[in-house]
Amino acid sequence: MPHYNCCVPGCTNSFRNASHLHFYRLPKDEFTRKQYKVILKNDSLKLDSTNTRICSDHFEGGEKLSRAHLPTIFPWKKAESTRRQLKRVISFEENLAIQEAKKKKREEKKDMAQASVTVEHENNRETQTSLTGLEIETMLKELQKLKKDISELTNEKNQLLEKNAKLSEENANLLEANLKLEQETKRLRHSLENFRFDIEKYKDNAEDIAFYTGLPDYNALLICFDMVKDAAEHIEYEHERTHPGIQCGRPRCLTKFQEFTLTLVRLRLGLLEKDLAHRFSVSRPLVSKVSRAWTRFLRGQFEPLITIPPREVLKLYMPDIFKSFYPDCVIIVDCTEFEMEKPSALNSQSACYSSYKSRTTMKALLGITPSGALCFVSELFPGSTSDKEITAQSGLLDKLQPYDQVMADKGFNCTDELASVGAELIRPAFLVKDTQFSKEETNHNKIVASLRVHVERLMERIKNWHIFDHRIPITLAPIASDIASIKQ
């Protein structure tokens, strides 16, 4: 079948959707073609093309009758509407006769109605006059019975009204109870949707308290919080407007105890800020701001507790082995390193690179008393800093007195620095020229090694806080020293 489309503007007929129609060519006669061009109103019409076709829908009767038969049906023409035919009106005489007939019928109906009323009235009068005494007495009995029935129905109605009132009262009580249940349901749903981690849930389980906070039990947690509770009212958060005696901004989402718990959980378990935000139903930036502020605050509160006790106290609690061999030993020191992210700046990479660990680290100097109590924590230094430089810059020398003894590892070469304040360094002996140690040197090395194991245990205890399980992010570098101090 040839593939043709109708050339009339606005007509969508084609061989695809109207295959039942005929598609006619334009006549070859020039005059007729000009008429087509005027009728079709198509400026782009190709009169000479054999593919220019017009469908049979545009011809009256649906068919082209002759070559001179022009199309007359187009989309832009309105369909001719048939003219309404007027009905013939009856004459005046006929209308008058109809009206008279209707009037006569109305009068006949009225007379018949009056006659029926008169007959019924006469029948009632005859019935009333023909009633006997017996019939009257029967009617009175029926009337009394009807009154009795009406009374019973009235009583039943009153009883039903009372029952209805009771039911209405019960319904009101049920509606009130239902409203309370709906409110309680909403409250519970809101609590469930906004559930927050609560450490009080584990207050009876010391193992869980130690797992989440690093403290031995719930009482120890409360004691630590009570020590800082008053000062925590004036804690300073980052980018927060503060005025003396005035609380600015919206109320805080978390209580001080919840913020304290959040910070301990962050340090103990090393949880990511996003995880803590979900646990405490707050935003991630709030977790970051709270944990940073509380970390700096807790270091300021607890750092004064980390100090070398008076020499009398040290000797009172000193183990016997120290009293026998090193009675003047006041501190056992060692350095530990924490891996950190590699800085982008080359000079920072060089400063933080540790040749001992072969990666970028932060380094701290730790010290314990002979009885095993922590007594010194330095700031964190870049990993390339030597033990000697850390000892000089950490402030340890200012805490020592003349004739104090400091026990350290073999690589801790700070004899001159300690001698500058009158202190003595105790460390394992070096093998210089001889082929083996003497008996005294061997015994000395064994004793020092056995006593230094306590500081190694302290470092292990520090690294049990999982905040340092991974590399220290660059974003935590400003508070890394605060974290190390709190974890002690």
Side-chain angles (χ1 to χ4, degrees):
M1 176 181 288
H3 297 174
Y4 296 124
N5 298 327
C6 184
C7 65
V8 175
C11 180
T12 60
N13 292 334
S14 65
F15 71 95
R16 295 182 183 87
N17 59 9
S19 59
H20 61 284
L21 299 178
H22 294 286
F23 292 86
Y24 300 106
R25 290 183 181 178
L26 299 184
K28 295 183 179 181
D29 182 57
E30 293 295 331
F31 178 74
T32 309
R33 283 189 175 183
K34 289 181 180 180
Q35 287 182 315
Y36 267 90
K37 186 173 183 180
V38 173
I39 292 171
L40 295 181
K41 298 181 179 180
N42 189 349
D43 296 335
S44 61
L45 186 65
K46 297 179 180 179
L47 298 175
D48 299 330
S49 175
T50 58
N51 292 327
T52 302
R53 303 293 178 109
I54 183 170
C55 66
S56 56
D57 273 355
H58 303 290
F59 295 91
E60 293 184 1
E63 185 179 3
K64 184 177 179 181
L65 301 178
S66 65
R67 294 181 179 178
H69 188 188
L70 298 176
T72 57
I73 302 172
F74 300 104
W76 56 83
K77 285 189 175 183
K78 295 183 180 180
E80 295 183 359
S81 58
T82 57
R83 189 173 180 181
R84 180 174 62 85
Q85 296 182 356
L86 299 177
K87 294 183 179 180
R88 186 175 181 182
V89 184
I90 59 177
S91 62
F92 176 75
E93 291 79 7
E94 292 176 348
N95 187 21
L96 187 61
I98 291 172
Q99 296 295 332
E100 289 292 337
K102 289 182 178 179
K103 185 177 180 181
K104 188 175 180 180
K105 286 182 179 180
R106 286 197 297 271
E107 291 177 352
E108 289 177 355
K109 288 181 179 180
K110 186 177 181 180
D111 294 339
M112 290 176 65
Q114 288 179 356
S116 62
V117 170
T118 303
V119 171
E120 184 179 358
H121 183 66
E122 290 178 356
N123 290 336
N124 290 337
R125 185 181 297 173
E126 290 176 0
T127 303
Q128 291 176 2
T129 54
S130 60
L131 289 175
T132 60
L134 182 60
E135 292 175 346
I136 293 173
E137 186 177 355
T138 304
M139 292 178 67
L140 289 174
K141 289 181 179 180
E142 291 180 355
L143 182 61
Q144 291 177 356
K145 184 178 180 182
L146 290 173
K147 288 182 178 180
K148 184 178 180 181
D149 293 340
I150 291 171
S151 177
E152 291 177 354
L153 291 173
T154 303
N155 294 333
E156 290 181 2
K157 177 184 176 182
N158 293 333
Q159 293 177 358
L160 291 174
L161 289 174
E162 291 178 358
K163 289 183 179 180
N164 187 31
K166 291 181 180 179
L167 291 175
S168 299
E169 185 178 357
E170 291 179 359
N171 187 32
N173 294 334
L174 289 174
L175 289 175
E176 184 178 359
N178 185 38
L179 180 61
K180 291 181 179 179
L181 290 175
E182 288 180 354
Q183 293 175 350
E184 181 68 12
T185 303
K186 289 180 180 179
R187 186 187 65 79
L188 293 175
R189 185 180 292 111
H190 181 269
S191 300
L192 183 61
E193 292 174 352
N194 298 276
F195 173 76
R196 286 178 178 165
F197 176 84
D198 190 359
I199 197 66
E200 291 186 1
K201 179 180 178 182
Y202 310 101
K203 63 182 180 180
D204 296 329
N205 192 326
E207 183 179 353
D208 290 339
I209 294 294
F211 173 77
Y212 283 109
T213 66
L215 298 174
D217 52 30
Y218 189 71
N219 290 330
L221 177 66
L222 293 181
I223 291 172
C224 290
F225 179 69
D226 289 338
M227 292 173 63
V228 301
K229 180 170 62 175
D230 296 335
E233 297 298 328
H234 307 288
I235 190 171
E236 294 184 1
Y237 301 91
E238 293 180 357
H239 310 298
E240 184 178 55
R241 294 176 299 172
T242 57
H243 297 280
I246 301 175
Q247 292 289 340
C248 299
R250 296 182 300 175
R252 304 202 64 81
C253 299
L254 302 175
T255 64
K256 295 298 182 183
F257 184 69
Q258 288 174 330
E259 293 181 351
F260 175 67
T261 305
L262 182 148
T263 305
L264 292 182
V265 172
R266 168 98 165 112
L267 300 179
R268 176 63 176 173
L269 301 181
L271 299 179
L272 299 178
E273 293 175 352
K274 191 71 173 179
D275 187 2
L276 287 170
H278 289 308
R279 288 174 185 261
F280 286 85
S281 299
V282 293
S283 64
R284 190 198 61 77
L286 180 61
V287 172
S288 176
K289 182 165 67 172
V290 167
S291 61
R292 286 171 177 269
W294 271 86
T295 300
R296 290 191 296 269
F297 169 73
L298 290 176
R299 181 187 182 182
Q301 295 295 313
F302 293 135
E303 192 173 32
L305 302 177
I306 305 175
T307 184
I308 299 178
R311 303 310 181 259
E312 298 78 11
V313 177
L314 284 174
K315 291 184 178 180
L316 179 63
Y317 294 98
M318 183 178 290
D320 293 337
I321 189 170
F322 274 95
K323 291 180 180 179
S324 301
F325 295 97
Y326 309 107
D328 294 326
C329 181
V330 296
I331 186 171
I332 306 170
V333 297
D334 198 1
C335 285
T336 184
E337 297 186 53
F338 305 97
E339 186 179 2
M340 64 174 293
E341 286 184 347
K342 184 184 293 185
S344 57
L346 294 179
N347 57 346
S348 299
Q349 291 182 21
S350 176
C352 296
Y353 183 80
S354 171
S355 57
Y356 179 69
K357 296 288 186 179
S358 299
R359 52 181 178 266
T360 53
T361 63
M362 289 183 174
K363 198 171 184 180
L365 178 65
L366 306 178
I368 62 172
T369 63
S371 60
L374 179 71
C375 62
F376 182 78
V377 180
S378 72
E379 296 283 340
L380 289 181
F381 292 86
S384 63
T385 311
S386 65
D387 296 349
K388 182 182 294 189
E389 187 175 355
I390 292 177
T391 303
Q393 296 183 13
S394 63
L396 174 63
L397 300 179
D398 299 333
K399 299 178 181 294
L400 298 177
Q401 298 177 5
Y403 308 109
D404 284 344
Q405 291 180 331
V406 177
M407 184 175 290
D409 195 8
K410 184 183 294 185
F412 198 82
N413 187 16
C414 299
T415 305
D416 297 337
E417 285 74 11
L418 294 175
S420 65
V421 294
E424 179 187 354
L425 177 64
I426 303 173
R427 61 176 180 169
F430 283 90
L431 187 63
V432 183
K433 295 181 180 180
D434 300 331
T435 57
Q436 63 181 8
F437 289 113
S438 64
K439 185 177 180 181
E440 293 77 9
E441 290 175 338
T442 303
N443 293 333
H444 172 76
N445 290 349
K446 288 181 179 180
I447 294 171
V448 171
S450 64
L451 297 178
R452 280 195 65 261
V453 71
H454 299 291
V455 75
E456 299 289 346
R457 290 173 181 169
L458 171 66
M459 294 177 185
E460 181 182 358
R461 189 168 69 246
I462 292 173
K463 293 180 179 179
N464 283 337
W465 289 66
H466 301 292
I467 189 69
F468 286 153
D469 280 356
H470 307 286
R471 293 180 297 175
I472 301 174
I474 298 297
T475 54
L476 287 182
I479 61 171
S481 296
D482 303 329
I483 295 174
S485 296
I486 295 173
K487 286 169 58 175
Q488 314 309 322

